[in-house]
Each structure stands twice: as C-alpha cells, then as structure tokens.
C-alpha cells in the first residue's frame, strides 16, 4: 500500500516536472504554395500556441520583394485540469496574404510570437517567384487558347479574340475567360475592368452578373470556362497593338480560417494584335477611314407633295454591322430650288454578343424656294466592307417633289428708327444779316436800357436756369419711363417664352424676347435683322464671340422649328431652357459668358 502511494506521488511529480519543461509559447509558419508567379498571391499561415492566458502578439519582419495585401486572424482558448492543476491552452492563427512583386527566390525570415515576456520564433521559409508577367506578348490567333503553364494546372485566365489580324476599323471581339478544373472549388473576389486600350474604340457587349460555365477541352483536359466580359474593339490606327495583362483574385477551397480557404491570383498573358492599313488600290474619292463596316444606305423624302410655304424632310439612314457611332453620313450640300438646313443626327445601337449593329440617321429640312416639280438629289457614300475586303460606293436615287403654288417672297421688316435727327428742309437759304446803328451814350447811365438790362439780368438768368432744370427733369423722367417700358416689354416677352406650349410658339417667343432684351440693355433694336446681323450687333456691343455664335445658331434653330416643330434637338423643354439662358445672357455690355 505504501509502495503504491509512493508510485502515484512520483507519477504526479513527473507530470508536473514535464509540464514545467514545456515552453510557454510556440510558433509555426507555413506557405500555401512554394512557387508562384509575379503578381500572384500566396497565403502565409502563422500558428502560435501559449499555455498561459493573455494576448498573443505576432510580428512579421520586412519581406523583401513581397508585399502584404491582406491579413485575417482568429484566436481560440481551452482549459483543462490535471494533476498539476489547471492547464490553459490559447491558440492564435494569423493568415497573411502576400503578393510577389518581382521574380526570384525569396526568403521569409523567422516570425516572432510573444505573450508577456515570453517569445518564440518560427523557422524561415523559402518561396520561388516565376517571372510570368515579364513574358513578351503572345501573337493572338483566332479563338485559340494557350494551355495552362506552371502553377496554372487547375485554375487560369486567358484573353480570347475573334481574330488576331484585322483591318483598320474592323471589329475584334475580346473576351476575358476563367478556366477551372471541375473539381476545384473557388470564388471570384471581383472581376477587373478591361485594361487601358490605347488605339481602340470599345463597346461592352456582355458583362454578366453571374458567371455561367461551359465545358471545353484545353490541352487534352476538360475545364469549366466562364466568360467574365466581352468587348468589341475597333482599331483607330494601323500597326502592332498589345493588350496588356490583368489579374483576377480568387478564393480557393473553404472560407474558414483554419485549413480552409486561401487567396490566389491569376494573370492573363499579354497578347499582340496586327491591325492592317486599308488598301490604297481602288480607294474611292472622298472616302473616310471611319466608314468601315457592312452597311446599307437609304434615303426617304416626306412628304412628296407639299403646299407652297411648307417644308419637306430628307432622311438619310446608314444601317449595318460596324462602328456606327463613328460612321459619317454623306453631306447633301445644296439642292436646286430648296433652302437646305443643317442636319439633325441620331443613332440607334444594337449591342449583341455577336457584335455591334446599329443605324445612324440624318434628318435634313428642305424648304422649297419655288413652285412646281423639284428634285431632291441622290447622295453617295464610299465605304470599306471588311467581310468582302473591298471598297463599295453606296448610292441613293433622286426623289421628285411636287410644290403646289408659289412660296411667298419673304417680307423684309424695316428697322425701327433709332435716334433719328430732324431732317433739314431743302431749298434756298437766306443769308444772315445784322444791322447796327451808332448813337452817342446818354448823359446819365440809369437812363439807358443797358443799365436796366444789367440790373434785371440776375433774376432773368435765374428764371432761365430754373426752367432748364425743370425741362431736364422732365426729359429724365421720360427716359426713365421709356426704360421701364422696355424692361417690362422684355420681361413679358421672356414670360411668353417660358409659358409657350409648343415648339412654334416657343420659337416666336424666343425671337421676340431676344429682340426686346437687346433693345432694353443695348439701346439698339435688332428686330428685322438676320441671325448673322444680330450676331454682329452683339459682338459690336461687347459680346463674346462664343455667345454671339450660340445666339446665331439658336435663331437658326427657331426658324427651323417653324417648319419642323418636332425637330428640336433637345426637345421642347431642353431647348426652351437653353433659349431662356441665352436671353438672360445679353447684358449691358453685350453678353456674359
């Protein structure tokens, strides 16, 4: 019995001695991967364990050639009892996400963990960084994908293009695609925007909110493929073009801190495109490089029969596949028997995953200048069709218009008299004569008229001054009343513009308000002047050339609205607001910017 007690006592003492021999804190470090590419992300796991209660501190030294892009941590604590008494176990794990900045072999120095005065250090780690990002651009081929390289066996990203060689202005479809082994569980943290694409006009055709997989064989292996986005690129200049690489960050595996998910970054490879200049052989005159596509040109005149004094509208439509935003419609120039107004343009885009389609229209207002049968001439537009790889000249046919009656001749509105001078009557003029007689002076000065004239000169001159002041005051009062009347007329005209219910009423009210405002602040009427003359008057009064030009264009638009009320470029409300601003911009010096 005594021997059993002694054995138990020795066992307890041995356990206590063993417990006291264990270190207070330990720390271990490991990497999720030992080889990555430049720009990729590797996870550094640090596990620190302490046998006492308290806050564990983890310190990471400076990492040369590496940068910490993320950090997360978790702490767990447990308590148990033994023969040595209460045992506390505190575990802290910190996960550092590290990005490689340059290729080479990197050493991660020992990491220190401490609790109170106790400290521990991990063993150093080694990491190999490949120089993937420095690889030269790969010549793009139509629709082909390069197989995965080192470190990409289960997850990689690539550019895919519809064609590696294209004509200047021809559309190139560019996809960003993610390739994953079907057995790999991953999440995409964010889809990056396309890189800077100098030398291209781009349109986004597809950017799904949720990624949908499809299966594809790459290098003899099956991958799930996810399209992140698709662009249509239109080259603006010829020559070699490079699409720079971009990176996508993934979360692999589970999302837990302990042994679960980790971050990984994959980078595309740069690709090179060859943009060919348009051929010089067979190039038509007046061809513009923006007109590359498979297009059709149409012209429509409406109405074909019109009463004198009314207008017709010529609509030119260019439709098809290509960069319709940059395409340029033909100019009508002049048309015999018509006054041709500047066109109003609009475009409709149809963005599909297969490419860019659309229509660009120009509406041209034509006002007949005489009656009878008139002809709206046809137009020509040379284009380059990249599918046929040749130039094509699109043409429209002339259209006949019947004008019934004769348009009235425009009546010139005379300028109102401003500061007129009283005309001098014509005829013979009599010479001025003065007759004087010399007489001896009177003996006594007060007996002469001159003496009495001097005596009465003071009161007489005072009376004249008082009368002049009353006359001047009357003139000033009349001037104030006239100025108030001009101001009130301008205010009422502006209000009529503000309240106009349709385009034609707004156009008339704008012209009235502008003329009234000019008379109010400049003291010079502009009514009856052409738009160009009004612009010159404003510039002569101190207006900026920019404002004078805007007012000239606005007057032309108002004239246009009389014939085509639905053709206001900004609609009734937008145009009315602009016109009100222009009326208010005319100040006493001519204009405000």
């Amino acid at each position: 019995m005594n021997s059993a007690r002694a054995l138990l006592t020795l066992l307890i003492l041995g356990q206590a001695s063993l417990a006291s021999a264990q270190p207070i804190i330990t720390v271990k470090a490991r990497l999720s991967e030992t080889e990555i590419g430049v720009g990729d992300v590797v996870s550094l796991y640090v596990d620190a364990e302490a046998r006492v209660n308290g806050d564990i501190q983890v310190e990471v030294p400076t990492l040369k050639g590496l940068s910490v892009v993320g950090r997360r941590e978790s702490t767990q604590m447990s308590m148990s009892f033994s023969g040595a008494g209460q045992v506390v176990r505190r575990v802290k794990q910190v996960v550092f996400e590290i990005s490689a900045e340059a290729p080479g072999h990197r050493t991660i120095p020992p990491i220190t963990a401490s609790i109170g005065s106790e400290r521990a250090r991990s063993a150093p780690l080694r990491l190999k960084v490949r120089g993937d990002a420095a690889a030269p651009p790969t010549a793009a081929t139509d629709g082909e994908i390069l197989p995965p390289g080192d470190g990409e066996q289960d997850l990689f990203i690539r550019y895919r293009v519809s064609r590696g060689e294209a004509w200047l202005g021809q559309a190139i479809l560019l996809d960003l695609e993610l390739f994953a082994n079907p057995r790999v569980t991953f999440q995409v943290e964010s889809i990056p925007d396309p890189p800077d694409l100098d030398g291209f006009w781009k349109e986004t055709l597809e950017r799904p909110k949720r990624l949908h997989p499809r299966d594809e064989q790459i290098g003899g292996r099956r991958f799930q493929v996810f399209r992140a986005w698709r662009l249509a690129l239109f080259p603006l200049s010829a020559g070699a073009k490079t699409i720079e690489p971009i990176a996508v960050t993934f979360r692999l595996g589970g999302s837990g801190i302990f042994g679960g998910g980790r971050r990984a970054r994959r980078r595309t490879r740069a690709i090179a495109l060859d943009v060919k200049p348009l051929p010089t052989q067979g190039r038509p005159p007046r061809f513009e490089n923006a007109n590359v596509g498979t297009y059709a040109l149409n012209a429509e005149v409406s109405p074909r029969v019109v009463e004198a004094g009314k207008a017709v509208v010529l609509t030119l439509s260019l439709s098809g596949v290509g960069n319709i935003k940059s395409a340029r419609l033909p100019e009508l120039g002049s048309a015999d028997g018509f006054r041709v107004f500047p066109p109003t343009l609009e475009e409709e885009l149809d963005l599909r995953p297969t490419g860019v389609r659309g229509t660009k229209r120009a509406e041209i207002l034509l006002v007949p200048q005489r009656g009878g049968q008139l002809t709206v001439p046809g137009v020509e537009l040379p284009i380059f069709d990249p599918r046929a790889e040749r130039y094509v000249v699109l043409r429209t046919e002339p259209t006949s218009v019947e004008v019934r009656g004769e348009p009235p001749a425009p009546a010139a509105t005379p300028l109102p008299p401003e500061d007129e001078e009283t005309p001098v009557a014509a005829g013979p003029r009599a010479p001025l004569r003065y007759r004087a007689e010399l007489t001896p002076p009177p003996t006594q000065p007060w007996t002469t008229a001159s003496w009495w004239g001097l005596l009465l000169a003071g009161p007489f001159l005072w009376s004249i001054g008082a009368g002049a002041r009353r006359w001047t005051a009357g003139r000033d009062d009349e001037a104030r009343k006239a100025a108030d009347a001009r101001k009130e007329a301008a205010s009422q005209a502006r209000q009529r513009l503000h309240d106009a219910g349709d385009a034609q009423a707004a156009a008339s009210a704008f012209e009235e308000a502008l003329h009234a405002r000019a008379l109010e602040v400049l003291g010079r009427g502009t009514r009856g002047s052409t738009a160009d003359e009004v612009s010159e008057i404003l510039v002569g009064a101190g207006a900026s050339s920019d404002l004078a030009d805007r007012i000239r264009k606005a007057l032309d638009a108002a004239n246009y609205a009389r014939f085509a009320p639905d053709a206001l470029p900004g609609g009734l409300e937008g145009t009315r607001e602009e016109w009100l601003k222009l009326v208010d911009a005319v100040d006493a010096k001519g204009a405000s910017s």
Side-chain angles (χ1 to χ4, degrees):
M1 188 67 178
N2 291 335
S3 61
R5 288 179 178 177
L7 181 60
L8 180 60
T9 300
L10 289 174
L11 181 60
I12 294 173
L13 291 175
Q15 289 178 344
S17 175
L18 181 62
S20 62
Q22 292 180 352
I24 299 297
I25 186 171
T26 58
V27 60
K28 297 179 180 180
R30 58 187 174 88
L31 290 170
S32 59
E33 298 174 83
T34 57
E35 182 177 340
I36 61 174
V38 172
D40 290 346
V41 176
V42 63
S43 296
L44 170 62
Y45 295 90
V46 179
D47 298 296
E49 179 178 347
R51 295 191 301 107
V52 295
N53 198 8
D55 186 19
I56 300 176
Q57 301 292 328
V58 175
E59 300 177 9
V60 178
T62 301
L63 306 176
K64 295 182 179 180
L66 304 171
S67 59
V68 177
V69 297
R71 170 178 174 150
R72 62 187 191 274
E73 60 182 58
S74 178
T75 302
Q76 292 184 346
M77 186 180 70
S78 63
M79 299 180 63
S80 61
F81 294 90
S82 66
Q86 178 181 348
V87 178
V88 176
R89 182 172 179 267
R90 192 175 185 89
V91 178
K92 183 173 186 177
Q93 185 181 67
V94 182
V95 181
F96 297 93
E97 291 164 342
I98 300 172
S99 175
E101 300 175 348
H105 293 273
R106 305 294 176 212
T107 297
I108 298 178
I111 295 171
T112 302
S114 62
I115 185 169
S117 60
E118 300 293 330
R119 301 170 67 86
R121 300 179 70 194
S122 68
L125 301 173
R126 292 191 176 276
L127 177 66
K128 179 181 177 181
V129 181
R130 304 184 307 272
D132 300 343
T138 302
T141 53
D142 301 0
E144 292 187 8
I145 295 296
L146 291 176
D150 295 339
E152 295 183 327
Q153 287 76 13
D154 291 330
L155 184 67
F156 62 97
I157 65 176
R158 290 289 187 271
Y159 289 132
R160 190 197 299 264
V161 295
S162 59
R163 55 177 54 89
E165 184 181 77
W167 293 103
L168 175 67
Q170 184 180 13
I172 303 172
L173 301 184
L174 173 66
D175 297 344
L176 175 64
E177 294 181 326
L178 320 178
F179 297 80
N181 186 321
R183 296 187 300 272
V184 172
T185 302
F186 71 92
Q187 293 178 337
V188 180
E189 291 196 347
S190 63
I191 300 295
D193 292 329
D196 293 335
L197 300 169
D198 293 336
F200 292 95
W201 174 269
K202 69 178 180 180
E203 293 286 351
T204 301
L205 303 180
E206 187 178 10
R207 191 161 189 171
K209 294 183 179 179
R210 296 186 61 182
L211 301 181
H212 301 284
R214 70 179 191 275
D215 288 342
E216 187 172 342
Q217 292 286 330
I218 304 294
R221 296 177 56 196
R222 184 172 70 90
F223 286 89
Q224 286 188 319
V225 186
F226 304 82
R227 181 185 294 164
W229 41 250
R230 166 170 282 187
L231 306 179
L233 306 182
F234 296 94
L236 302 177
S237 58
K241 307 292 180 183
T242 300
I243 308 297
E244 298 295 338
I246 58 175
V248 177
T249 304
F250 300 88
R251 179 72 62 182
L252 301 179
S255 57
I257 293 296
F258 293 93
R262 64 181 179 85
R263 292 178 83 192
R265 181 173 294 181
R266 297 291 186 264
R267 184 180 294 265
T268 63
R269 298 183 181 183
I271 60 174
L273 302 174
D274 181 22
V275 179
K276 300 181 295 183
L278 298 179
T280 57
Q281 184 176 3
R283 177 176 297 187
R286 298 184 302 277
F287 169 77
E288 298 190 36
N289 286 341
N291 290 337
V292 176
T294 305
Y295 294 128
L297 181 65
N298 181 61
E300 181 180 351
V301 177
S302 179
R304 299 287 186 88
V305 179
V306 65
E307 298 295 330
K310 302 296 184 180
V312 299
V313 177
L314 168 63
T315 303
L316 298 176
S317 301
L318 183 68
S319 304
V321 178
N323 186 6
I324 200 69
K325 279 188 174 180
S326 299
R328 299 186 180 179
L329 291 169
E331 295 182 359
L332 179 60
S334 61
D336 183 41
F338 292 97
R339 179 184 177 188
V340 181
F341 282 83
T344 59
L345 300 177
E346 64 176 7
E347 58 192 30
E348 296 176 3
L349 284 184
D350 184 8
L351 303 181
R352 305 179 184 180
T354 55
V356 178
R357 302 182 62 90
T359 300
K360 176 170 282 190
R361 294 186 184 88
E363 290 188 351
I364 305 172
L365 190 71
L366 305 175
V367 180
Q369 301 296 290
R370 64 175 184 266
Q373 290 291 331
L374 302 180
T375 299
V376 178
V379 295
E380 294 184 351
L381 181 67
I383 68 169
F384 180 78
D385 187 342
R387 293 182 180 177
E389 298 190 335
R390 63 187 180 90
Y391 291 100
V392 179
V393 179
L394 307 178
R395 295 181 173 89
T396 65
E397 296 298 325
T399 304
S400 178
V401 175
E402 179 184 351
V403 182
R404 294 177 175 174
E406 287 293 332
T413 305
L415 289 173
E418 299 170 2
D419 300 333
E420 288 187 346
E421 296 182 359
T422 303
V424 179
R429 301 182 183 180
L432 296 178
R433 296 177 180 272
Y434 177 74
R435 187 174 184 177
E437 294 182 357
L438 298 176
T439 57
T443 305
Q444 301 297 332
W446 53 84
T447 61
T448 64
S450 59
W451 187 87
W452 288 99
L454 290 175
L455 181 65
L456 299 175
F460 178 74
L461 292 176
W462 181 87
S463 301
I464 291 176
R469 285 192 296 272
R470 287 194 298 271
W471 180 77
T472 303
R475 288 286 300 272
D476 292 343
D477 187 53
E478 290 178 3
R480 282 193 297 270
K481 289 180 180 180
D484 292 342
R486 290 194 296 269
K487 184 176 181 180
E488 179 63 22
S491 177
Q492 292 178 0
R494 187 187 188 282
Q495 187 63 39
R496 282 191 290 274
L497 171 58
H498 183 274
D499 298 336
D502 56 61
Q504 291 176 326
S508 299
F510 167 62
E511 292 181 356
E512 181 185 358
L514 184 66
H515 295 316
R517 177 67 173 168
L519 182 60
E520 174 198 356
V521 300
L522 303 182
R524 179 176 180 182
T526 56
R527 193 181 306 276
S529 303
T530 66
D532 290 335
E533 291 170 344
V534 171
S535 177
E536 293 176 2
I537 291 172
L538 292 174
V539 171
S544 67
S545 58
D546 176 67
L547 179 65
D549 186 60
R550 288 165 55 197
I551 289 177
R552 179 185 58 78
K553 292 178 179 178
L555 287 171
D556 284 338
N559 192 15
Y560 189 103
R562 296 178 186 276
F563 300 100
D566 298 330
L568 292 178
L572 176 59
E573 293 303 323
T575 304
R576 190 212 322 268
E577 182 179 353
E578 173 66 15
W579 285 352
L580 287 169
K581 291 180 180 178
L582 291 176
V583 170
D584 295 339
V586 180
D587 64 16
K589 294 181 180 180
S592 60
S593 298

